[in-house]
Amino acid sequence: METVGVAGLGTMGAGIAEVFARAGLAVVGVETDEAALRRGRAHLENSTGRAVSRGRLSPEEQQAILGRVTLATDRAAFAEADLVVEAVPELMELKLPLFADLDRVCKPSAILATNTSSLPVTEIALATDRPSRVVGMHFFNPAPVMQLVEVVGTARSTVTGEVADLARRVGKRPVVVGDRPGFVVNRLLLGYLNHACLLLDQGVASKEAIDTAMVVQAGLPMGPFALLDLIGLDTAYEICGVLHRDSGDPRHEPSRTLRNLVERGRLGRKTGGGFYDGKPGTEEGFDAMVLLRPYLVDAIEMFRSGYASQDDIDEAMKLGCGYRSGPFETVAALRTRSLDDFPELEE
Ligand SMILES: NC(=O)c1ccc[n+]([C@@H]2O[C@H](COP(=O)([O-])OP(=O)(O)OC[C@H]3O[C@@H](n4cnc5c(N)ncnc54)[C@H](O)[C@@H]3O)[C@@H](O)[C@H]2O)c1
């Protein structure tokens, strides 16, 4: 694969274009109109410019990277691409016609990939006449920095291995998984984050006590409410809704507190406040196992169902969430302490 197309040069698409161009591939970026194309180019220039000012890229390298990216408003520019990654907004009504069109303009051997976080890849693949060559390629934000890529295969995909190889070639750590809402990271992470919100709904503990316990006792880089403020409460709310429709698990049903904050426009750091307005305070009085244990059991169930290997789940949670250890490494550490606390592990 030498030429990669990227459809949509917003937050994710511009970052994905940068990943491929940095690795020496030719990139064709397509946007809806000239104004969007200028914004996409600015994203690329600013991101690589920051790397230059931090001494991570030379000005010559930056120019070489930008020189590998061709920009267009006409999808016909994808004609020679070996792979096209779609990164347009998370709406089926945008993605389905786009994939039908990509199928028409791209050469038959081209692989078509979607960066969707929550939509069914299978349905997107069926908008084309080449479902065996359609996969999910789920990058994390910011794409040039985050190493993890979830490569999502449907029952018809035959190219996940090729796409995983390409991800490795451009310096990423791929995890190949099946087409299930949330894949590995969002499924485990959002289940845990929403559970924390449900505990707030029930008045079990304060947000400060829960956050403090998850940092101090569980060793996470930040507690669930601080993390929700970072991710964006609207994004979390939507993903929980998708997970709940799929799983029916009460822990995925978007919490009242989360919904109220979203309705009030308190979406987290991007709106200046969500659960917190500033730095969270600390408080004692919550036992981290209350939240940690269901999260670990979810990971065990994900592995048992054959969805992903223990190593892949651990790597995905470390690279996708910045955790120091993955769930199975945490379980192994707990095993050495007390199995009595963890009857699920006896099976
Ligand atoms: N933002 C994140 O943190 C994140 C992380 C992982 C995955 N994703 C997924 O990536 C995708 C893109 O998200 P984003 O945050 O980059 O969105 P965004 O709104 O920042 O960018 C989308 C871009 O697509 C362009 N666009 C719209 N219709 C188009 C079309 N038909 N052809 C070409 N371009 C078109 C828009 O002009 C815009 O620039 C979504 O599916 C989202 O779920 C987002």
Side-chain angles (χ1 to χ4, degrees):
M1 288 201 210
E2 294 310 325
T3 303
V4 174
V6 181
L9 296 171
T11 309
M12 293 307 294
I16 293 167
E18 183 181 331
V19 168
F20 288 112
R22 273 176 178 254
L25 283 92
V27 177
V28 179
V30 170
E31 260 290 353
T32 43
D33 54 38
E34 289 296 335
L37 216 49
R38 275 196 296 280
R39 285 195 298 273
R41 191 194 312 270
H43 271 307
L44 272 164
E45 286 171 356
N46 293 339
S47 169
T48 50
R50 276 194 301 277
V52 171
S53 58
R54 288 177 188 153
R56 296 194 183 131
L57 271 185
S58 69
E60 295 73 27
E61 284 167 329
Q62 183 196 19
Q63 286 316 309
I65 291 167
L66 295 175
R68 283 186 209 109
V69 183
T70 313
L71 299 175
T73 53
D74 185 349
R75 288 172 200 163
F78 287 142
E80 293 309 314
D82 303 302
L83 163 78
V84 175
V85 182
E86 165 276 313
V88 307
E90 189 76 334
L91 295 167
M92 236 0 170
E93 59 265 38
L94 281 180
K95 305 217 188 229
L96 292 183
L98 175 58
F99 270 77
D101 219 25
L102 291 176
D103 193 29
R104 201 175 47 76
V105 299
C106 294
K107 56 189 182 191
S109 60
I111 295 174
L112 308 181
T114 172
N115 187 47
T116 183
S117 303
S118 60
L119 300 173
V121 180
T122 305
E123 203 177 323
I124 293 173
L126 290 177
T128 74
D129 284 332
R130 61 176 94 192
S132 64
R133 303 190 72 73
V134 178
V135 292
M137 197 173 187
H138 185 227
F139 288 83
F140 287 72
N141 186 14
V145 176
M146 299 292 281
Q147 241 195 311
L148 182 66
V149 175
E150 290 172 316
V151 177
V152 185
T154 68
R156 305 276 294 275
S157 311
T158 56
V159 293
T160 50
E162 244 176 285
V163 173
D165 285 346
L166 177 68
R168 272 184 220 102
R169 187 176 139 202
V170 301
K172 299 295 177 192
R173 165 64 160 95
V175 168
V176 178
V177 293
D179 186 19
R180 197 167 95 167
F183 314 131
V184 173
V185 172
N186 281 338
R187 192 153 188 121
L188 292 181
L189 181 66
L190 269 300
Y192 149 73
L193 294 177
N194 191 57
H195 187 193
C197 298
L198 293 170
L199 296 179
L200 266 196
D201 287 358
Q202 295 156 10
V204 170
S206 71
K207 56 183 188 282
E208 290 84 359
I210 294 174
D211 270 0
T212 304
M214 297 316 287
V215 173
V216 174
Q217 299 171 33
L220 300 182
M222 65 178 79
F225 302 106
L227 183 56
L228 278 162
D229 277 353
L230 192 65
I231 293 173
L233 273 52
D234 50 341
T235 307
Y237 184 75
E238 284 213 354
I239 298 178
C240 285
V242 173
L243 292 180
H244 186 241
R245 280 193 291 283
D246 177 64
S247 68
D249 184 335
R251 269 185 309 119
H252 291 152
E253 183 172 8
S255 96
R256 270 199 323 271
T257 310
L258 197 55
R259 191 185 60 228
N260 289 342
L261 287 168
V262 171
E263 283 172 359
R264 284 165 47 208
R266 291 186 59 89
L267 306 182
R269 289 199 197 171
K270 63 184 169 187
T271 55
F275 282 99
Y276 299 109
D277 284 321
K279 200 172 168 339
T282 53
E283 207 176 296
E284 293 194 337
F286 181 72
D287 173 6
M289 280 305 276
V290 175
L291 267 179
L292 193 58
R293 186 173 138 157
Y295 156 73
L296 298 177
V297 170
D298 281 350
I300 293 168
E301 277 170 6
M302 184 178 271
F303 162 67
R304 283 211 179 123
S305 71
Y307 185 70
S309 69
Q310 295 190 10
D311 278 354
D312 278 354
I313 294 173
D314 274 349
E315 279 300 294
M317 295 313 286
K318 284 192 287 189
L319 296 175
C321 308
Y323 289 174
R324 273 196 290 273
S325 60
F328 291 95
E329 290 162 336
T330 307
V331 164
L334 287 170
R335 272 181 105 104
T336 61
R337 290 223 311 259
S338 167
L339 266 181
D340 297 342
D341 293 339
F342 242 87
E344 292 87 350
L345 298 180
E346 300 279 22
E347 293 167 23

